[in-house]
């Protein structure tokens, strides 16, 4: 997963993840996504769940976040 990413890019992703993870539990919930991106359409959240939430637990781990956003 993170092997291909530079340390700088990985650090940027950690900061971005932390800024969305409002309660600091290490996961991004739908509530946190909505709070951080209030104009995000419901369909976009559903698509994120379908594409990125690989373990289907209803939240995004840092690893799932990197898989989704780590591509340049």
């Amino acid at each position: 997963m993170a092997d291909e990413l530079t340390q700088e890019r990985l650090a940027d992703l950690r900061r971005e993840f932390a800024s969305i993870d409002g309660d600091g539990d290490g996961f991004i919930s739908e509530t946190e996504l909505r709070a951080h991106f209030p104009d995000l359409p419901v369909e976009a959240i559903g698509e994120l769940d379908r594409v990125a939430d690989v373990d289907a637990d209803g939240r995004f781990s840092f690893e799932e976040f990197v898989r989704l956003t780590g591509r340049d």
Side-chain angles (χ1 to χ4, degrees):
M1 169 198 68
D3 318 352
E4 319 76 59
L5 298 175
T6 65
Q7 290 301 315
E8 182 179 338
R9 178 70 175 133
L10 193 55
D12 288 343
L13 289 171
R14 285 189 193 283
R15 282 189 291 277
E16 289 174 33
F17 183 88
S19 75
I20 301 169
D21 180 17
D23 62 7
D25 69 351
F27 296 94
I28 296 174
S29 67
E30 181 177 330
T31 302
E32 289 166 329
L33 274 176
R34 290 188 185 286
H36 197 77
F37 303 104
D39 297 329
L40 194 64
V42 172
E43 298 82 25
I45 300 260
E47 185 65 11
L48 284 171
D49 282 342
R50 188 183 70 71
V51 171
D53 186 14
V54 294
D55 60 4
D57 66 353
R59 58 192 185 167
F60 302 102
S61 67
F62 180 68
E63 290 78 15
E64 290 168 328
F65 180 77
V66 169
R67 277 191 209 101
L68 183 67
T69 63
R71 301 176 234 150
D72 286 327

